Amino acid sequence: MKKTWSLILTGILAAAVAAGCSTTEAGSSKGKDTLTIAWLPNESGEDMKTSRDEIGAMIEKATGKKVEHKTTTDYIIAVESIANDNADLAFLGAEGYIQAHDKNQKVLPLVVPSGKSGTLEDAVYYSWLNVKKGNEDQYKSGDGFSIDKIAGKKFSFVSNSSTSGFKVPSTGIVSHFSKQDAFKSLTTEGLLEGGSGKFFSEVLYGGSHQGSAVNLLTGKADVAAFCDTCVNNYIELAEGEKNKPGAVYKVKQGAAEPFNTLEGQEFVSIAVTPVLNAPFVINTGTVSEEDKNKILAAFTAADTANNPKIFAPKDSKETALYEKASGDEKFVQVEDAWFNPVRELGK
């Protein structure tokens, strides 16, 4: 298992950094006076409203145009909105972006949040496979953990359009189990549904990373995939090292919905995989080149990087879209080729 996740890590980081950047041309303006931003379910909650509004205000100031927010309850709605010209910008995961781009070649990435270095080299977050505290011994292997025992369990994904909540974990599961004779024909499609004769006894979808975590903590799922950043505002590290297998996390006191009834509940990460950071994408068929450049300049400006309503300072009690852990985090321009390692996961 360690080898499987190590290979994914090496491929994602090395190939992404090597991809570099190139210049792309945007489409012509359609005379719009309002720009619409589509948000994934994870960022559509009330707890992210301040960050959404701040980003909207930033774009309004840069372009002189009104910004409307399209919050969603389903990944597909956000992907289809930008792909079908019903949104001008969107916040999507890498897999969601790839799906939107495949549907509409004029949908292109604009920026991603950097890593602690302030560059693309460590611009990753983490996909976790988690079990409830008290059940982790089932998955122990020597001094570490193995996913060997997840077969036959009740499993929760986020959405099949989620990078860290489906694409990365499902690829890792198939890579691990397909080496065994009993599962040599296993595919990611074979993980979509559970039941008799299936890999999992039951498959659930949280609809968001928060929803997948709730599926685990309420006992609906034995194992759940979700990412660190999307639940970070609701949990705290209780034991171990963050983003390492064996780390124990606890729902914070006073956590907002949907964790407000789960205070003190704990879970353990049994597998951890780095994932390319999620991009803000732009529909160059509905946004002019001039406005695209203004929006890019606004995202990458120092004022934005230092805005505590977007990048919350380390140890801040305020909720924001990102945490400024090192002080160097900021938005960095990114191009389509940077996401090729995620494309490769599906081949």
Side-chain angles (χ1 to χ4, degrees), residues 128-238:
W128 295 340
L129 293 188
N130 309 281
V131 300
K132 284 194 74 172
K133 176 67 175 172
N135 296 335
E136 68 273 21
D137 285 352
Q138 299 177 44
Y139 307 92
K140 290 294 289 288
S141 177
D143 293 332
F145 291 86
S146 168
I147 64 170
D148 282 336
K149 297 295 179 65
I150 68 172
K153 299 293 187 180
K154 295 182 294 183
F155 195 97
S156 178
F157 289 113
V158 173
S159 161
N160 62 3
S161 293
S162 171
T163 310
S164 55
F166 181 77
K167 190 65 174 273
V168 168
S170 64
T171 301
I173 291 167
V174 170
S175 177
H176 179 81
F177 282 93
S178 62
K179 297 178 177 66
Q180 303 176 22
D181 287 343
F183 301 108
K184 62 183 178 182
S185 299
L186 183 65
T187 64
T188 55
E189 289 76 15
L191 301 178
L192 289 169
E193 296 180 356
S196 179
K198 302 288 188 180
F199 183 82
F200 292 121
S201 61
E202 184 179 355
V203 172
L204 301 91
Y205 294 91
S208 66
H209 289 264
Q210 296 91 328
S212 189
V214 169
N215 281 343
L216 176 70
L217 293 175
T218 56
K220 293 179 181 178
D222 302 310
V223 187
F226 49 91
C227 77
D228 63 325
T229 57
C230 291
V231 299
N232 186 56
N233 292 321
Y234 311 92
I235 64 169
E236 58 190 4
L237 184 68

Side-chain angles (χ1 to χ4, degrees), residues 24-50:
T24 56
E25 294 185 5
S28 60
S29 172
K30 292 187 177 180
K32 298 167 72 80
D33 58 8
T34 299
L35 297 172
T36 301
I37 307 176
W39 296 88
L40 290 174
N42 316 302
E43 290 73 37
S44 289
E46 187 64 25
D47 60 318
M48 285 294 142
K49 186 178 186 301
T50 298

